[in-house]
């Protein structure tokens, strides 16, 4: 399978830079798949699960927050506020954040606060999904 160069940058770190065979990012219209020689484009990323396959078939997953993806001349740039591998996610903290965001959504508040609570909840759910899927795979491989 053909590969392309990808730069995945979070606000505080370079998350991954190197060759990639496929990349799937969460957008407001659903999961957006990218392969080598994809048409040039720019799209917004929403909080969710990002999947990327390294050369040789090793699939990686991460929880990402809001950001953008830019595809140009067979090179992909992903800019997000945060990106976390399953082993970096604190499930208890993510559960607490999800609970607090759900509670905030129930409160009478302004548009900005409501939107912030929605984003926080989406990010927490994505983190739990990525962490849960990783734990499930580990559990299944043991048995």
């Amino acid at each position: 399978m053909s590969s392309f160069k990808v730069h995945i940058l979070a606000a505080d770190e370079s998350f991954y830079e190197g060759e990639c065979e496929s990349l799937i990012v969460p957008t407001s219209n659903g999961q957006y798949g990218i392969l080598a020689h994809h048409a040039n484009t720019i799209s917004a990323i929403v909080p969710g699960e990002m999947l990327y396959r390294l050369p040789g078939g090793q699939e990686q997953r991460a929880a990402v927050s809001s950001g953008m993806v830019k595809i140009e001349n067979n090179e992909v740039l992903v800019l997000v506020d945060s990106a976390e591998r399953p082993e970096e996610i604190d499930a208890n903290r993510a559960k607490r954040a999800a609970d607090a965001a759900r509670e905030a959504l129930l409160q009478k508040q302004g548009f900005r606060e409501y939107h912030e609570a929605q984003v926080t909840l989406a990010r927490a759910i994505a983190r739990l999904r990525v962490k849960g899927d990783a734990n499930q795979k580990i559990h299944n491989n043991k048995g």
Side-chain angles (χ1 to χ4, degrees):
M1 177 178 261
S2 294
S3 66
F4 55 92
K5 184 79 170 172
V6 68
H7 308 273
I8 302 171
L9 306 175
D12 59 348
E13 70 174 332
S14 174
F15 183 79
Y16 174 77
E17 295 194 57
E19 293 298 311
C20 187
E21 290 182 349
S22 67
L23 173 67
I24 300 172
V25 294
T27 71
S28 58
N29 294 324
Q31 298 289 73
Y32 190 79
I34 301 164
L35 297 172
H37 310 292
H38 193 287
N40 293 349
T41 191
I42 295 176
S43 182
I45 293 176
V46 298
E49 181 179 22
M50 177 180 69
L51 301 169
Y52 57 105
R53 185 174 301 280
L54 304 178
Q58 183 183 7
E59 185 175 79
Q60 305 290 316
R61 62 182 53 233
V64 295
S65 61
S66 300
M68 55 134 330
V69 59
K70 175 186 168 193
I71 307 162
E72 185 175 36
N73 300 326
N74 208 39
E75 196 160 322
V76 178
L77 174 62
V78 175
L79 297 173
V80 290
D81 290 329
S82 67
E84 296 174 281
R85 292 171 181 86
E87 62 272 14
E88 298 169 338
I89 296 171
D90 180 339
N92 290 327
R93 192 174 112 212
K95 286 177 189 170
R96 286 192 303 273
D99 291 343
R102 284 186 187 102
E103 182 63 32
L105 288 172
L106 297 174
Q107 305 301 317
K108 290 191 185 281
Q109 55 196 343
F111 175 77
R112 181 185 170 108
E113 291 82 9
Y114 185 81
H115 178 70
E116 287 174 1
Q118 284 181 313
V119 170
T120 300
L121 180 58
R123 181 169 178 244
I125 290 170
R127 294 175 77 226
L128 289 168
R129 183 176 295 128
V130 168
K131 182 71 171 180
D133 288 351
N135 287 341
Q136 189 65 34
K137 286 185 177 183
I138 291 168
H139 179 72
N140 288 341
N141 289 339
K142 288 181 179 177

